[in-house]
Amino acid sequence: MAAKKTSRSNLMGSYTVPGLDVEKGQKLARELQTCLHNLNDLHLTLKHAHWNVVGPKFISVHEMFDPQVDSVREMTDTVAERMATMGVPPVGTPGALVKDRDWEDYSIGLAQASEHLGALDLTYSRVIENHRRVMEIAGEIDPITEDILIGQAGEMEQYQWFVRAHLQDDEGQLSTESATTEKEAAAQAMEGDRKID
């Protein structure tokens, strides 16, 4: 009888980090895969926006995105390495991201800075919400993983604040407050710019 072939990407170690139950540790590591997909998507989306932003705010927004890209890329590496440390191989292939995600691809191409900022506000919200969801799970299983996620969520919340500062009027209202899609957020951000001008 031939031995059943196992895909290398599906192999899991028979271990996790010391002091954790293997089953619980690996369950948490599998949840981290959602963070990995979200972070990979975010750093690619930020770079896409960096390349495709135009208009009067071009240089400030273009230059604001690169440090965010670098930071989010580093977060991705940290999450992937934590998964591996916990005995679960991280999957970072584009095909797996597309297959596993529950969101649509970023929908804004060449556009004004405000349009990208409006759409990215929603993108950041999705990624941060997922991080907080997994952070809650980690809080019950592993304080080290929870700590990693807390630090990353804090950084992303600051980056979202940088984005939102461009979308806010002097009364504290976000121009994109009622948007539920990237295209709505982009349109509302442009309308907000027109009201300020």
Side-chain angles (χ1 to χ4, degrees):
M1 184 174 207
K4 184 179 174 187
K5 274 193 169 178
T6 307
S7 166
R8 286 205 170 275
S9 64
N10 292 330
L11 291 176
M12 283 199 237
S14 58
Y15 63 88
T16 194
V17 293
L20 279 189
D21 172 78
V22 173
E23 188 179 326
K24 285 182 181 177
Q26 290 192 355
K27 177 186 176 214
L28 175 56
R30 286 191 298 275
E31 286 293 336
L32 287 174
Q33 183 65 57
T34 65
C35 296
L36 183 61
H37 282 329
N38 271 279
L39 290 168
N40 269 325
D41 180 82
L42 178 59
H43 82 75
L44 290 170
T45 299
L46 285 165
K47 198 63 182 178
H48 167 82
H50 168 85
W51 293 324
N52 285 287
V53 65
V54 296
K57 297 178 185 175
F58 163 77
I59 198 64
S60 63
V61 172
H62 178 79
E63 289 182 350
M64 179 180 77
F65 287 154
D66 264 342
Q68 293 182 28
V69 170
D70 293 342
S71 176
V72 173
R73 193 176 290 144
E74 190 174 311
M75 291 177 200
T76 304
D77 198 43
T78 301
V79 167
E81 289 177 357
R82 185 65 183 163
M83 289 176 67
T85 300
M86 297 176 84
V88 174
V91 181
T93 61
L97 191 162
V98 171
K99 182 174 106 354
D100 295 344
R101 72 182 179 194
D102 60 0
W103 63 89
E104 295 297 318
D105 206 13
Y106 187 74
S107 59
I108 310 300
L110 186 67
Q112 294 289 311
S114 294
E115 293 174 280
H116 278 293
L117 291 165
L120 286 169
D121 180 36
L122 294 185
T123 301
Y124 265 117
S125 288
R126 172 183 47 81
V127 177
I128 292 166
E129 285 167 8
N130 184 69
H131 248 59
R132 285 181 164 271
R133 180 188 68 78
V134 178
M135 192 189 314
E136 233 177 87
I137 296 166
E140 297 173 10
I141 298 171
D142 178 37
I144 295 170
T145 302
E146 180 187 32
D147 187 56
I148 289 167
L149 297 174
I150 287 169
Q152 291 181 347
E155 276 188 72
M156 287 188 287
E157 288 171 2
Q158 184 181 42
Y159 299 150
Q160 186 179 35
W161 170 56
F162 294 168
V163 166
R164 286 180 165 180
H166 292 269
L167 304 171
Q168 190 175 355
D169 65 21
D170 55 7
E171 293 175 3
Q173 293 296 117
L174 288 175
S175 60
T176 56
E177 203 167 280
S178 65
T180 58
T181 68
E182 291 164 357
K183 290 194 183 224
E184 284 176 1
Q188 288 175 14
M190 281 303 293
E191 186 58 34
D193 268 5
R194 287 186 196 102
K195 286 180 183 172
I196 292 171
D197 292 344

